């Protein structure tokens, strides 16, 4: 069997860089091409055998040709960039041989932000990616990421098989080249340090699905392995939607945990207690991204990874709580530089 060729976007991102590292460890002989905005000495040294194509997500023809030349495409770049996704699909649809697309999305699509009154309330709904796959497919276009997710799902056919990997909030540190940490904890720590208090929205009872970074990587590795077998026992297309959630965190509990860490590390006053913030206070955190902070720290986004577990996915990383002190400590160190 000839050596398969893989094309990846987002190869220096937190998730994409981690996925690339895991895939190459498991499948070292796969021929790999990476789309990069610029080529760093660190990346070249780590991956001397990777072919680098230089361009951004607007480089339609470059991305289209790179996808057409590949047997497997891993799209972990900007999941909401319509041009990049369209270029990948266009390239793959030109092929006359079997190919696979594994597309990164996120559980923002199932967040209850569209029905929120922003009081930090608990929502009992835990989305199931097998029992509710039709409801996931039929989400409104206003759901985060969903327009492109649906394009990817619809593109699957006899020659092209597509899958969406849908992780929730991710924690833990990456050892890959490029971005080493997620957005959720470092940004929360930044805001807590600036305001000298940990916070939660309203009652703080909203629940967030969470997953350790290496467990997300494991699912990429599993699906690449299935693709290398011609599809294997994985499901693709409209059924090929895989939540990658391993646990949950109630945000008032996260605020209390960060508060304890902050006191212990000395960047919060000894008498600090987590404080309930209003909708307006939370929404003002990212003035250039209205609604983002409310989504991150005020909505419910809960998922059960039935499809991935049926394929053999077994999360084994440390819990959110077990990883939190390290994640906070690294965030604080970076903020103090």
């Amino acid at each position: 069997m000839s050596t398969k060729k893989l094309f990846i976007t987002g190869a220096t991102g937190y998730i994409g860089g981690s996925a690339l590292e895991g895939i190459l460890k498991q499948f070292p002989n796969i021929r790999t091409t990476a789309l990069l905005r610029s080529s760093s000495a660190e990346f070249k040294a780590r991956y001397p055998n990777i072919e680098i194509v230089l361009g951004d997500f607007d480089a339609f023809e470059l991305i289209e040709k790179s996808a057409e030349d590949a047997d497997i495409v891993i799209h972990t770049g900007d999941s909401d960039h319509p041009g990049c996704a369209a270029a990948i699909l266009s390239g793959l649809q030109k092929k006359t041989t079997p190919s696979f697309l594994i597309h990164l999305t996120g559980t923002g699509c199932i967040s209850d932000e569209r029905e929120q009154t922003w009081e930090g309330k608990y929502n009992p709904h835990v989305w199931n990616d097998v029992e509710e796959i039709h409801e996931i497919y039929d989400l409104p276009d206003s759901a985060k990421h969903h327009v492109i997710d649906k394009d990817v799902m619809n593109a699957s056919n006899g020659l092209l098989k597509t899958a969406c990997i849908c992780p929730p909030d991710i924690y833990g540190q990456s050892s890959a080249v490029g971005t080493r940490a997620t957005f959720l904890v470092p940004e929360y720590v930044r805001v807590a340090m600036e305001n000298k208090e940990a916070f939660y929205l309203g009652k703080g009872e909203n629940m967030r699905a969470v997953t350790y970074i290496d467990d997300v990587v494991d699912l990429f590795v599993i699906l690449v392995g299935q693709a290398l077998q011609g599809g294997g026992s994985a499901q693709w297309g409209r059924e090929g939607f895989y939540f990658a959630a391993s646990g949950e965190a109630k945000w008032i509990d996260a605020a209390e945990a960060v508060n304890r860490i902050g006191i212990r590390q000395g960047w919060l006053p000894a008498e600090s207690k987590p404080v309930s913030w209003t909708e307006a206070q939370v929404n003002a955190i990212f003035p250039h991204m209205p609604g983002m902070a409310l989504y991150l720290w005020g909505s419910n986004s809960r998922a059960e990874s039935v499809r991935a577990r049926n394929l053999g996915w077994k999360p084994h990383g440390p819990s959110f709580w077990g990883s939190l002190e390290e994640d906070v400590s690294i965030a604080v160190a970076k903020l103090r530089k």
Side-chain angles (χ1 to χ4, degrees):
M1 184 177 69
S2 61
T3 302
K4 297 297 184 183
K5 187 170 182 180
L6 180 145
F7 171 54
I8 184 168
T9 68
T12 57
Y14 174 60
I15 300 174
S18 303
L20 176 63
E21 184 81 357
I23 290 165
L24 292 182
K25 282 182 179 177
Q26 186 68 27
F27 308 107
N29 295 323
I30 199 165
R31 293 167 55 208
T32 303
T33 299
L35 175 72
L36 300 180
R37 287 189 180 90
S38 60
S39 179
S40 71
E42 182 185 8
F43 190 90
K44 287 181 177 179
R46 175 79 70 93
Y47 305 115
N49 296 322
I50 287 184
E51 178 184 351
I52 296 169
V53 291
L54 294 176
D56 60 20
F57 297 136
D58 292 315
F60 189 97
E61 293 181 356
L62 176 67
I63 295 168
E64 180 185 48
K65 182 65 167 61
S66 299
E68 184 180 0
D69 289 344
D71 302 296
I72 303 169
V73 175
I74 308 293
H75 180 31
T76 63
D78 185 349
S79 60
D80 295 318
H81 192 293
C84 186
I88 290 170
L89 291 173
S90 176
L92 290 172
Q93 287 163 346
K94 290 182 176 183
K95 294 179 66 66
T96 58
T97 55
S99 60
F100 296 84
L101 169 59
I102 301 171
H103 168 74
L104 173 68
T105 181
T107 55
C109 62
I110 57 164
S111 164
D112 63 1
E113 63 179 338
R114 295 181 303 280
E115 60 201 60
Q116 269 283 352
T117 55
W118 302 117
E119 296 167 336
K121 292 182 178 179
Y122 169 84
N123 188 331
H125 187 183
V126 180
W127 287 79
N128 181 306
D129 56 9
V130 171
E131 294 178 0
E132 295 178 282
I133 188 60
H134 299 299
E135 289 82 357
I136 292 169
Y137 179 82
D138 289 332
L139 285 166
D141 287 353
S142 58
K144 276 184 170 62
H145 319 308
H146 185 62
V147 170
I148 293 176
D149 291 352
K150 202 168 183 178
D151 287 344
V152 169
M153 296 162 86
N154 287 339
S156 204
N157 55 41
L159 278 180
L160 170 60
K161 291 182 171 62
T162 65
C164 295
I165 291 181
C166 188
D169 297 325
I170 304 175
Y171 59 92
Q173 302 297 310
S174 171
S175 60
V177 176
T179 305
R180 301 289 175 89
T182 185
F183 188 82
L184 181 79
V185 172
E187 282 300 307
Y188 183 85
V189 169
R190 178 187 65 79
V191 177
M193 289 183 75
E194 288 177 356
N195 290 274
K196 294 184 170 48
E197 63 184 24
F199 67 92
Y200 53 90
L201 174 69
K203 295 181 178 180
E205 295 175 351
N206 54 295
M207 301 287 291
R208 307 289 301 180
V210 292
T211 306
Y212 188 65
I213 181 62
D214 289 352
D215 290 327
V216 178
V217 170
D218 286 350
L219 185 51
F220 275 97
V221 171
I222 288 170
L223 280 175
V224 169
Q226 295 294 303
L228 290 171
Q229 297 173 40
S233 56
Q235 292 175 295
W236 307 90
R238 291 193 181 189
E239 286 73 43
F241 193 95
Y242 296 81
F243 286 138
S246 63
E248 288 190 309
K250 182 186 295 184
W251 205 254
I252 191 172
D253 294 341
E256 290 171 348
V258 171
N259 182 73
R260 289 192 295 271
I261 293 169
I263 292 172
R264 189 160 59 247
Q265 294 182 347
W267 53 268
L268 284 179
E271 69 280 3
S272 291
K273 293 182 179 179
V275 177
S276 173
W277 281 18
T278 65
E279 175 185 351
Q281 284 177 292
V282 175
N283 198 32
I285 291 171
F286 303 127
H288 58 297
M289 293 187 291
M292 178 56 72
L294 288 169
Y295 158 70
L296 278 173
W297 299 305
S299 73
N300 293 272
S301 185
R302 311 180 67 193
E304 186 177 4
S305 305
V306 178
R307 195 176 306 277
R309 291 180 186 275
N310 287 346
L311 199 57
W313 184 62
K314 296 178 180 178
H316 55 82
S319 71
F320 175 79
W321 311 108
S323 182
L324 188 59
E325 181 136 12
E326 179 187 24
D327 286 352
V328 169
S329 298
I330 292 172
V332 170
K334 288 180 179 179
L335 288 165
R336 284 176 167 168
K337 282 184 178 179

